C-alpha cells in the first residue's frame, strides 16, 4: 500500500502575516506528521506550478490576471483574502500540487493528501474569496477528466460550504458534489434546496448542520447520505476538500468534531474509493486554524489512509496556542458575520441530534427518486 503527500516549503511563502490562514498551519502539520509513526512510510510528491491554461479549466482568464496583478501590488482580493508578492506564484504551486496528486493515484498510488496552501474551495470561476485564490480541488477534478476519468465525486467536509466548487459544477452531471457544513455560517450558501440545475440537477448534495454537531452527526450523515449516493454515482475517482475547521477547538467555527472523527470520515471515503474506483483517492487541505487540532487531525487522516483506522481510540486534544492571533481572528469573524470507520458501521458513540436526523430526511426527500439517491 502506497500513501503519498504533497508538500513544499514554498507554500510558506504565501505570506499573510497574522491572518488566520498563514504558513504556521503547514509548519504545525509537518511537525506533527514527522513525529508520528507514519511519516517514514509516506511518499513525498514535490509539486510543480500549474499552468494558466490548467487554472482556466475552472477560472476565467480575467480572474487569473487579477490574482497576478493584485499579488504584484500587495492588494487584498476581498476583505478576507490578502496577497503578497509571491501569492500568485504559490497559488499556481498549490493547484499544481493537487494536479500531481491526481496523477499519482492514476499511476497506481493508493491515496495522496496534498498539504497545500492557499486553500481553494471558496474561489468561484470569476472571483477569489474566503482565503482562497484558485479552486484547487475543482481544477484537479477537471484535470482528472482530461486524463480520461469520466465521473468525479468531490466530498467537502470543511466547516464552511464550498460555494466555489458548487458553482463550478452546478450544471454538470459528471461531477457529484457533496458538502457537509455548519449553517448558518460563512459564506451563506449550501442550503439543502441547492441540488443542481440542468444536466446537474440532483448531483449537488448539501447537508447543512447546526453549530455543535460532532462525530456521531457527521458519521450518521456519511452512512445515510454519502455512502448510498456514492454507490449509485459510481465515481472513477474521489476527491476530498479536507478542511479540519470543524474541530471542536477551532476558533473560526462552532462544530464539535474530534481529531479521531476526521480519521473516521477519512476511513469511510477510503473504503468507498476501494469499493468503487480502485482506491483512487486524493485529499486537498482546506481550512483548520488551531495548530494543534489541525496537526492531530491530519495525522489521524493519514492513519486512516494507511488502513489503521479501526483501532483509533479517544485521546485528549491538546490546547491550541493561538493567543497572538486572537485579534485578527475576531476581525475576520466580524467581517464574515456581515456577509476509519467501515462503510455501514455504527456512526460513532453518543446521540445523533434530532436536527441532524431532520436534515438527513429532508435531503433524502429532495433527492428521492433522483439520479444519485
Amino acid at each position: 500500500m502506497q500513501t503519498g503527500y504533497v508538500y513544499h516549503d514554498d507554500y510558506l511563502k504565501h505570506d499573510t502575516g497574522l491572518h488566520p490562514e498563514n504558513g504556521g498551519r503547514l509548519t504545525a502539520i509537518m511537525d506533527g506528521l514527522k513525529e508520528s509513526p507514519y511519516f517514514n512510510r509516506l511518499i513525498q510528491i514535490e509539486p510543480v506550478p500549474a499552468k494558466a491554461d490548467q487554472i482556466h479549466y475552472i477560472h476565467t482568464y480575467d480572474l487569473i490576471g487579477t490574482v497576478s496583478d493584485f499579488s504584484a501590488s500587495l492588494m487584498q482580493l476581498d476583505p478576507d483574502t490578502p496577497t503578497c508578492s509571491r501569492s500568485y506564484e504559490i497559488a499556481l504551486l498549490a493547484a499544481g500540487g493537487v494536479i500531481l496528486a491526481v496523477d499519482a493515484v492514476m499511476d497506481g498510488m493508493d491515496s495522496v493528501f496534498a498539504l497545500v496552501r492557499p486553500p481553494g474551495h471558496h474561489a468561484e470561476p470569476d472571483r477569489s474569496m474566503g482565503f482562497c485564490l484558485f479552486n484547487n480541488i475543482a481544477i484537479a477534478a477537471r484535470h482528472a477528466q482530461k486524463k480520461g476519468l469520466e465521473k468525479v465525486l468531490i466530498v467537502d467536509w470543511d466547516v464552511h460550504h464550498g460555494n466555489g466548487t458548487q458553482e463550478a459544477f452546478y450544471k454538470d452531471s459528471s461531477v457529484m458534489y457533496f458538502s457537509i457544513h455548519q449553517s448558518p455560517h460563512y459564506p451563506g450558501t449550501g442550503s439543502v434546496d441547492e441540488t443542481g440545475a440542468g444536466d446537474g440537477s440532483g448531483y449537488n448534495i448539501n447537508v447543512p448542520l447546526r453549530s455543535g454537531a460532532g462525530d456521531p452527526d457527521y458519521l450518521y450523515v456519511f452512512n445515510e447520505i454519502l455512502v448510498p449516493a456514492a454507490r449509485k454515482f459510481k465515481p472513477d475517482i474521489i476527491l476530498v476538500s479536507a478542511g479540519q475547521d470543524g474541530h471542536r477547538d477551532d476558533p473560526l467555527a462552532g462544530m464539535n468534531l474530534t481529531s479521531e472523527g476526521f480519521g473516521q470520515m477519512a476511513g469511510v471515503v477510503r473504503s468507498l474509493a476501494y469499493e468503487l474506483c480502485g482506491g483512487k483517492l486524493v485529499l486537498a487541505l482546506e481550512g483548520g486554524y488551531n495548530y494543534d487540532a489541525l496537526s492531530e487531525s491530519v495525522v489521524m487522516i493519514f492513519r486512516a489512509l494507511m488502513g489503521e483506522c479501526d483501532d483509533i481510540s479517544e485521546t485528549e486534544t491538546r490546547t491550541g496556542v493561538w493567543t497572538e492571533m486572537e485579534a485578527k481572528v475576531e476581525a475576520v469573524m466580524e467581517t464574515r458575520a456581515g456577509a476509519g470507520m467501515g462503510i455501514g458501521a455504527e456512526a460513532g458513540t453518543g446521540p445523533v441530534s434530532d436536527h441532524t436526523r431532520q436534515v438527513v430526511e429532508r435531503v433524502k426527500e429532495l433527492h428521492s427518486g433522483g439520479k444519485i439517491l
Side-chain angles (χ1 to χ4, degrees):
M1 179 184 302
Q2 290 186 324
T3 302
Y5 70 100
V6 174
Y7 177 76
H8 198 290
D9 284 341
D10 281 357
Y11 288 136
L12 307 180
K13 295 177 182 177
H14 171 54
D15 185 0
T16 58
L18 292 181
H19 190 278
E21 200 298 290
N22 65 80
R25 301 173 62 235
L26 279 186
T27 300
I29 288 172
M30 293 306 298
D31 287 348
L33 198 54
K34 289 173 183 177
E35 293 173 1
S36 78
Y38 315 111
F39 183 69
N40 290 334
R41 295 159 55 192
L42 300 174
I43 299 171
Q44 182 175 0
I45 300 169
E46 187 164 314
V48 296
K51 297 178 174 63
D53 287 349
Q54 292 175 308
I55 303 298
H56 185 55
Y57 293 164
I58 297 297
H59 298 290
T60 64
Y61 281 120
D62 282 347
L63 177 66
I64 296 169
T66 295
V67 173
S68 177
D69 292 345
F70 275 45
S71 296
S73 302
L74 309 183
M75 295 172 63
Q76 296 211 163
L77 289 157
D78 84 340
D80 278 350
T81 312
T83 67
C84 71
S85 62
R86 302 286 300 274
S87 292
Y88 173 68
E89 169 193 343
I90 305 308
L92 294 178
L93 192 66
V98 188
I99 286 171
L100 280 186
V102 168
D103 288 342
V105 299
M106 290 185 69
D107 289 340
M109 192 170 288
D110 294 277
S111 58
V112 178
F113 196 163
L115 302 173
V116 304
R117 62 179 293 271
H121 74 151
H122 292 309
E124 298 177 348
D126 60 356
R127 178 170 65 148
S128 301
M129 61 180 287
F131 308 175
C132 302
L133 279 63
F134 299 132
N135 196 316
N136 306 316
I137 207 80
I139 293 165
R142 282 290 185 239
H143 174 75
Q145 291 180 322
K146 289 182 179 293
K147 293 271 288 188
L149 301 182
E150 294 183 4
K151 295 195 291 184
V152 180
L153 166 60
I154 298 176
V155 177
D156 190 336
W157 68 52
D158 189 280
V159 79
H160 306 95
H161 179 246
N163 56 294
T165 310
Q166 173 174 289
E167 182 176 338
F169 304 115
Y170 203 63
K171 298 180 180 179
D172 188 341
S173 62
S174 70
V175 177
M176 186 175 92
Y177 178 62
F178 168 90
S179 176
I180 182 169
H181 49 272
Q182 181 177 329
S183 180
H185 204 31
Y186 181 89
T189 53
S191 164
V192 292
D193 300 309
E194 297 166 14
T195 59
D199 289 343
S201 180
Y203 290 90
N204 196 87
I205 303 177
N206 287 315
V207 187
L209 301 182
R210 284 181 182 167
S211 175
D215 297 358
D217 299 277
Y218 275 69
L219 294 167
Y220 178 75
V221 170
F222 270 43
N223 282 317
E224 292 291 315
I225 302 296
L226 175 61
V227 169
R231 284 174 168 160
K232 191 166 184 180
F233 182 62
K234 295 182 174 62
D236 298 305
I237 190 171
I238 299 176
L239 309 182
V240 179
S241 274
Q244 283 61 248
D245 40 6
H247 196 284
R248 63 189 179 191
D249 291 337
D250 196 276
L252 294 190
M255 291 309 210
N256 200 33
L257 283 164
T258 66
S259 303
E260 294 76 17
F262 284 105
Q264 290 169 338
M265 289 191 291
V268 172
V269 294
R270 175 182 178 272
S271 295
L272 281 171
Y274 276 105
E275 176 185 340
L276 301 173
C277 52
K280 291 189 285 295
L281 174 62
V282 169
L283 299 86
L285 185 67
E286 299 284 1
Y289 306 101
N290 176 301
Y291 291 172
D292 290 339
L294 177 60
S295 177
E296 288 181 357
S297 298
V298 169
V299 169
M300 286 295 182
I301 290 168
F302 273 110
R303 182 176 185 175
L305 296 181
M306 301 179 80
E308 300 183 11
C309 54
D310 292 338
D311 62 346
I312 292 175
S313 58
E314 181 67 22
T315 59
E316 288 299 319
T317 302
R318 295 190 297 267
T319 302
V321 286
W322 234 62
T323 55
E324 74 274 15
M325 296 186 184
E326 286 178 353
K328 186 63 180 180
V329 170
E330 290 173 3
V332 170
M333 291 294 284
E334 184 176 348
T335 298
R336 291 187 163 188
M341 172 172 288
I343 294 174
E346 291 297 320
T349 58
V352 176
S353 76
D354 289 341
H355 178 263
T356 296
R357 294 181 186 275
Q358 291 166 7
V359 172
V360 165
E361 291 309 307
R362 178 59 176 157
V363 171
K364 289 179 178 179
E365 179 185 346
L366 284 168
H367 291 272
S368 177
K371 297 160 186 172
I372 54 176
L373 270 180

